[in-house]
Amino acid sequence: MAMGPLTTSVGDTPKVRELEGALNAIGTTVTHKKIVFLILIGCLFDSFEQNTVGITAPMLRAQWGLTGADIGFLNTITFGAAATGRLASGIISDKYGRRVMLGINLLLFTIGSLLCAAAPSFGLLCVGRAIVGFGLGGEISTAVTILAEISSAKFRGTAVGLVNVGAGGLGNFLAPAFGLLIFTLFPGDNGWRWLFLSLALPSLLIVFYRRYIPETPRYLLSQNRTAEANKVLSILASGRLNPKNLVVTPYLSEGGAPLPVADIDWTGIFKAPYASRTIPVTIAILMSYGAQLSVLTLLPMMMVAQGYTLSASLFYTMVIQFGSFLGTVAASALGYKFPRKRILTMGAICACLASLCFGFLGANIYLLLFFGALFQFFVLVLNTTIWIYAPELYPTRSRAFGVAFILASGTAAGAIMPLISGRVLDGYGLPGVFTMIAVMYGIFAACIQFGPETYGKSMEDINVAALPETT
């Protein structure tokens, strides 16, 4: 029997073609840059928060007599809740819209930070970290989805990559310096409380500014809200977040048959054709996040255990994290010019080699800092490119949940792997930890070969092409 045309999908319609053309014609405006900046600031403080367990670990151990297992459990609580938060955020974003989750996530983040600052016991500190983690998880996945959906095909990779410049680059690099600053301003045993308190305050300001971030035109169009999508496109084109006397340009025609609004099916990312993308990319991010967060959690303790003071350990950690910042910047630039799979494959091979050098050739502090920074550089090239890649793998109706699932899987690895790497560190030392990490990046390189190439393509075209033909 002859094969018919591709199955009907929201991506294969004249209106979606109009939307793709409008986004590409509008290009990158000041409005895009303002949205990126507002999201980036929030993600910067999210990254500070992710680093606090490692930064405060020596103080908490000294003041409350916590064990290494207790510190690992704090990390497990934080990242386990973040994984849950990401999944919940993805479900809500696909059903009710992307921007609704921004305020909710920041509110949870603030409440959790305040509870951590005031916690009178380890148990309540764990509760605070769980609330913080839930907000943290939803923040990042929502940010990635929004920026992917408001950008042109050319700018999409750079826009999403810039988020990780704040979250994974500047955030990881400046987190030790920020902790050291707070401990200097507020010396004493309760310096860790002031650190948690300081992380709660900036997020209150972001809630005010983020009310100007619009819903994405892709989501609005998927819900047949064409007039609202035209308004958002006009805002993007105007160069202002809150333009007065906005003249709405009819980028999308309002006549014709409505788009087929499919019921949201969150299990769809685990079915053909999307399962062949979800499974290998999920395994890859499990490897990469697990390796990175193991290092972030253990590094300050490893430094202190080798005889360095807390201040020196935080300073050396900051030097190593400078590689993270350079890695995110490089990934944002590479995402503008090179295919995703090529970057991910080469980056994984380089991360594998850098981890072995870090573990076996760090004979003195200078080599340790150099190889540590080199390792972090390639790790953040990979993680940032995964952020760019994930929203390109799914159609609009399930994009938020697909992104959330992939990033939540990475976060779950952050909850589990520090416990495993801590035991490896106790049994086999630093070389054992980084040998394990090298193997993880070898698995990453193999898995990423199974995904499609998405560079420079319309997100809807990528997913329409994945659908099977029908008779």
Side-chain angles (χ1 to χ4, degrees):
M1 187 175 291
M3 301 298 286
L6 291 175
T7 353
T8 301
S9 91
V10 175
D12 193 22
T13 67
K15 282 190 178 181
V16 171
R17 300 294 175 186
E18 288 180 339
L19 175 59
E20 294 289 351
L23 288 171
N24 289 330
I26 291 169
T28 304
T29 68
V30 174
T31 305
H32 287 92
K33 295 174 184 178
K34 289 178 179 177
I35 293 172
V36 169
F37 176 76
L38 290 175
I39 289 178
L40 188 149
I41 292 297
C43 292
L44 173 68
F45 284 96
D46 285 357
S47 185
F48 282 2
E49 186 62 73
Q50 289 182 46
N51 282 271
T52 52
V53 171
I55 291 171
T56 60
M59 282 188 171
L60 292 171
R61 294 186 75 174
Q63 185 174 134
W64 283 354
L66 302 182
T67 64
D70 292 330
I71 298 298
F73 183 69
L74 274 178
N75 205 71
T76 298
I77 286 287
T78 304
F79 288 100
T84 304
R86 282 186 173 164
L87 293 176
S89 178
I91 291 171
I92 294 171
S93 293
D94 279 332
K95 189 170 182 62
Y96 299 107
R98 316 318 192 193
R99 70 188 300 268
V100 69
M101 286 306 302
L102 291 177
I104 294 173
N105 292 330
L106 283 166
L107 178 62
L108 290 171
F109 177 89
T110 303
I111 292 171
S113 294
L114 292 173
L115 181 58
C116 288
S121 66
F122 179 69
L124 282 178
L125 182 61
C126 289
V127 173
R129 295 305 299 167
I131 296 173
V132 165
F134 198 92
L136 278 173
E139 173 82 2
I140 298 294
S141 58
T142 303
V144 168
T145 303
I146 286 176
L147 291 180
E149 291 190 344
I150 67 168
S151 301
S152 64
K154 188 70 173 176
F155 183 63
R156 190 169 65 226
T158 299
V160 176
L162 285 173
V163 177
N164 212 25
V165 171
L170 282 174
N172 286 338
F173 170 57
L174 295 178
F178 186 74
L180 189 58
L181 173 64
I182 297 299
F183 296 157
T184 301
L185 293 175
F186 302 99
D189 294 339
N190 287 320
W192 62 272
R193 295 186 185 276
W194 288 104
L195 179 59
F196 282 121
L197 182 62
S198 67
L199 290 172
L201 297 177
S203 61
L204 295 174
L205 299 174
I206 305 301
V207 173
F208 173 79
Y209 290 112
R210 287 204 176 171
R211 63 182 178 148
Y212 295 114
I213 296 178
E215 184 55 81
T216 73
R218 287 186 187 276
Y219 176 80
L220 293 171
L221 184 59
S222 74
Q223 300 299 304
N224 282 307
R225 293 155 62 180
T226 307
E228 294 175 66
N230 275 326
K231 182 178 179 181
V232 173
L233 289 169
S234 299
I235 291 172
L236 293 174
S238 73
R240 301 176 64 87
L241 275 178
N242 190 28
K244 296 180 180 179
N245 303 317
L246 175 69
V247 177
V248 177
T249 302
Y251 290 99
L252 311 176
S253 57
E254 298 200 40
L259 293 178
V261 180
D263 292 334
I264 296 172
D265 177 16
W266 295 296
T267 65
I269 67 170
F270 308 109
K271 300 174 183 176
Y274 301 109
S276 61
R277 304 175 178 191
T278 301
I279 294 171
V281 176
T282 297
I283 295 172
I285 203 168
L286 282 168
M287 298 297 104
S288 189
Y289 266 52
Q292 181 199 18
L293 293 170
S294 292
V295 174
L296 287 178
T297 303
L298 296 175
L299 194 56
M301 283 197 299
M302 288 190 293
M303 291 285 189
V304 171
Q306 291 180 14
Y308 298 106
T309 65
L310 176 59
S311 297
S313 298
L314 291 178
F315 175 74
Y316 291 146
T317 300
M318 184 180 70
V319 172
I320 289 173
Q321 292 292 14
F322 185 65
S324 300
F325 170 66
L326 295 178
T328 57
V329 173
S332 298
L334 293 170
Y336 191 77
K337 294 185 176 181
F338 294 100
R340 315 298 189 220
K341 290 176 65 175
R342 186 186 305 172
I343 298 170
L344 291 169
T345 302
M346 296 305 298
I349 294 170
C350 292
C352 178
L353 296 174
S355 67
L356 292 174
C357 291
F358 195 6
F360 290 94
L361 301 181
N364 56 56
I365 189 61
Y366 302 106
L367 289 174
L368 194 68
L369 293 179
F370 173 75
F371 288 125
L374 189 66
F375 171 73
Q376 286 297 109
F377 173 85
F378 289 115
V379 167
L380 267 296
V381 166
L382 292 175
N383 289 354
T384 303
T385 305
I386 284 284
W387 285 24
I388 295 169
Y389 192 45
E392 298 175 336
L393 298 176
Y394 303 105
T396 300
R397 67 178 181 273
S398 60
R399 180 172 295 121
F401 183 70
V403 171
F405 180 81
I406 288 175
L407 298 189
S409 299
T411 305
I416 298 169
M417 282 306 302
L419 297 176
I420 297 173
S421 57
R423 292 183 179 275
V424 174
L425 178 66
D426 292 339
Y428 301 97
L430 200 61
V433 171
F434 285 97
T435 298
M436 178 185 71
I437 288 173
V439 172
M440 293 169 71
Y441 280 113
I443 296 172
F444 180 108
C447 287
I448 213 65
Q449 305 310 311
F450 292 94
E453 183 52 69
T454 60
Y455 172 69
K457 299 178 182 178
S458 155
M459 288 195 291
E460 305 301 343
D461 281 344
I462 296 165
N463 291 292
V464 169
L467 294 171
E469 294 185 337
T470 58
T471 57

